[in-house]
Amino acid sequence: MRVALVALAGLFVAATSPRGELELGKEVADVSFKAYDGKEYKLTDYRDNKEKKTDGMVTVVYFHSKNCPAQIAVDTIKKYAEAWKDPKNGVKFLAFFAYGHDKEKEIKDYIEEHKLSYTCAWDTEKKLRDHFGAKQVNTTFVLDKTGKLIYRGGFLKFKK
């Protein structure tokens, strides 16, 4: 029994560990993506930019799926995104649909059905997943205003 518990704990740790070499406190390299609104974005769009005289935003990158049984409920994610959506808060929420069985049309319908107002993109070629080293959905990365990784792990339930 004890061996089984140790093995299970090892599987959980392996499943939640990022695949890449992103280090806490280090800047995450830029990557571009096309969102469902049809616009092209880059991670650097949300960073401090002295040339443009813009303040950066804390960027929450969440790997999401509509089909994964282990996902956090979409209502929980919406609550976070809604709580942070005011630009005065200085937080930008990005959701990347990264589960292999999700189809693009299904995701578009899902976004519309649930009225998701945060930026959503479909990670068709797993480029974003590999860039961040996300092994599973419900993996969350938080970047500070300069693009440094300050958190990686799971997404907790929303508490009022």
Side-chain angles (χ1 to χ4, degrees):
M1 180 70 161
R2 185 174 204 174
V3 172
L5 288 175
V6 170
L8 266 175
L11 284 173
F12 179 74
V13 169
T16 58
S17 300
R19 142 184 337 192
E21 297 297 320
L22 295 182
E23 289 184 51
L24 290 174
K26 301 286 182 174
E27 186 176 310
V28 176
D30 198 15
V31 66
S32 61
F33 59 93
K34 187 174 183 177
Y36 277 103
D37 62 9
K39 297 178 185 174
E40 286 282 334
Y41 295 93
K42 298 184 297 186
L43 283 182
T44 52
D45 293 341
Y46 311 109
R47 296 182 185 169
D48 285 337
N49 188 322
K50 292 178 184 172
E51 291 173 15
K52 293 182 181 178
K53 297 181 182 176
T54 57
D55 290 332
M57 301 181 90
V58 171
T59 308
V60 178
V61 177
Y62 176 70
F63 285 85
H64 188 57
S65 171
K66 71 176 211 58
N67 290 321
C68 180
Q71 75 173 332
I72 298 293
V74 69
D75 291 338
T76 299
I77 303 304
K78 278 179 61 172
K79 285 179 185 176
Y80 275 112
E82 288 296 317
W84 296 332
K85 81 176 183 179
D86 185 339
K88 293 176 189 172
N89 291 330
V91 177
K92 180 66 177 175
F93 194 91
L94 307 173
F96 299 132
F97 286 82
Y99 194 66
H101 302 291
D102 291 339
K103 303 295 182 229
E104 189 170 8
K105 170 79 169 96
E106 293 172 352
I107 299 301
K108 284 183 180 179
D109 292 345
Y110 182 81
I111 291 168
E112 289 174 19
E113 173 189 345
H114 292 282
K115 297 177 177 59
L116 303 182
S117 61
Y118 46 88
T119 303
C120 297
W122 190 39
D123 193 14
T124 336
E125 298 165 3
K126 299 179 176 89
K127 174 177 96 170
L128 300 164
R129 180 201 71 184
D130 291 345
H131 185 79
F132 280 92
K135 284 189 166 195
Q136 66 187 38
V137 296
N138 189 33
T139 301
T140 306
F141 299 85
V142 180
L143 287 63
D144 72 7
K145 294 178 177 192
T146 66
K148 291 179 184 168
L149 182 66
I150 58 174
Y151 175 80
R152 66 173 175 227
F155 213 97
L156 303 175
K157 292 199 173 192
F158 188 84
K159 295 191 183 204
K160 293 182 180 179

